[in-house]
Amino acid sequence: AKIRIYQLAKELEMSNDELLKILDDMGVTYKSHASTLEEDTALAVKELIGEQKVAEAARKAEEARKSIPHRPPVVVIMGHVDHGKTSLLDYLRKSRIAEKEAGGITQHVGAFEVKTPGGTVVFIDTPGHEAFTTIRQRGAKVADIAVIVIAATEGVMPQTKEAIAHAKASGAKIIFAANKMDLPGADINKVYQDLMQLGLVPVAYGGDVEVLPISAKTGQGVADLLETILLMAELEDLRADPKAEAQGVILEARVDKQAGVLASLLVQQGTLRIGDYVVAGECWGKIKAMSDAEGNRRTEAGPGSAVQVLGFSELPSAGDTFTWVPDQVAAKEITEERIEERKASEARGDLQRARSLADLMRKAQQDEQKEINLILRADTQGSLEAIQNILAKEATEEVKINVLLAAVGAPTESDVLLASTAHGAILAFSVNPSGSVKKAAEQKGVPLQSFRIIYELIDEIRKMVKGQREPVY
Ligand code: GDP
C-alpha cells in the first residue's frame, strides 16, 4: 500500500528530515513530508535502512571487539613418556627465572609466564594430556595451543598419537617439537615421515604442520618455538577484556593444613581482585590473598594470569570454571541452586548417560549432524587397519564415523577421558580393558565394548549405522 513520508519515518524510527535526505540520495522526488510514496519505493527504503542497520551493527561489533586488548596464548605440553615434556617445562621455567635475576624463588601455581621480546606465553605447568583432558572434560577450554614433544631419537610413539587425538578433540592448535636434537641419534626426517604417515604434512614437506627442532637440554631451538607459538597466537587473534567480570578456570586445588583451601586458577577474562566473590562449581569463595608463580603477593590478576588464591569455602575441582559474583548472597544462592539441581538430576537418574553404542547412536540420530566418535583399540596394527578400512566403507551420507584414536594396546583411562569429552565410544578388539578402565568408563557413562571376532565388531557398527539396532537396557 502507499504510505506518506512522515508515516514511514515514524515506522522506521527516524526524523522526517533524515528520511527526506535518504529519498534525495535515492533520487526519489516528493513535494513535502506529507507526500505519498509508492509501495515499491517504501519497500526499497526499508531494505536500504535494514542493510544500513545491519552493516552499522556489524561495524560496531567489530569495533568493540578490536577495542578489546590481546591476551597471551595458553599452551599445554604433551607427548610420549620420556620424550622431554618435563625437561622442556624445566628449561622454560629456568630461562624465565634467569631473566629476572631475582633468584630462583618459584611457586607452583598451575601455570607460568614466559616473556619474550615478541610477547608473553603462558604455559600450563603440568605435562601430559591426562591433566589437560580432566580440565577439558568439565567443559572449560584452557589451552589455545598444544606443543607435542616428539623425541627425534625415537619418532612418533603410541602416546604421541594419543596426544594428537586429545589436542584435536579440544580444538587446540598443534605445534610439534622434535626434541633431543643435541643427541647423535636424532633424526628429524624420521619425525617428518612418521607424521606424514598420520596424514600430517610438515612445513618442510610443503604442508602446514609446524615441526620445530629443539633440545630441551641445551635450549637450542626453544626461542624459535616460542616465536612460532606467538605467530600462531597472532593468527588466532586472541583477546580478553580486562574490564569484564572475572572468569577463568580452576587448574588445581588442595587443602593446606595451615592455610586452608589453596586453589590455583587461570584468569581468562576480566580482572580478579582481592575481596572479590567467585563461584566455581558447587563452591564459592571470597578472595583473601593471591600470589603468582614468582611468589609475589598480588592484589589483582588480569587475563592470562595464573595465581594461587586463598578464600574458597570448600575444595573446588580442577577444570571447574570460576566466575565473579557481586556478593556473598549471590555466591551462596548460586552454589545452593547448583547443589539442588545436581541432587534432583541424580534422583531422576539423568547421570546415567549413554551406556551402550546404541544409546550413543540414538543420540546421534537426534542431532542434525550424525557423527559417531570412536576410539579403536586392537592387538596389532594389522587388525586396526583392517577395522578402519571396513569402517570407512560403513559410513554413509547421513552417518559420519570419526576415529579419534586408533592404537595398539588395551584401552586406557586416558581413552575414557577422551571418549567422555568427545561423547564417543571405545571399541576394543582382542585386547582386554583392565578393571579400573572398565570402572572409569562406567562412571563416566562411556560405552566400552570388547570384541574377539572382527565381524562381530563390524556387524555392530553396521547395525548402528543402519539404525536397526534395538536399544539395550
Ligand atoms: P617426559 O617423560 O616427557 O617428561 O620426559 P623428561 O623430560 O623426563 O625426559 C626424559 C629423559 O630425556 C630425561 O633423562 C631427560 O634428561 C632426557 N632429555 C629430555 N630432553 C632432552 C634433550 O633435549 N636432550 C637430551 N640429550 N636429553 C633430553
Side-chain angles (χ1 to χ4, degrees), residues 80-87 179-180 182-183 215-217:
H80 193 73
V81 64
D82 278 349
H83 278 201
K85 300 178 291 290
T86 313
S87 305
N179 190 32
K180 308 201 185 182
D182 59 296
L183 291 177
S215 164
K217 193 174 172 194

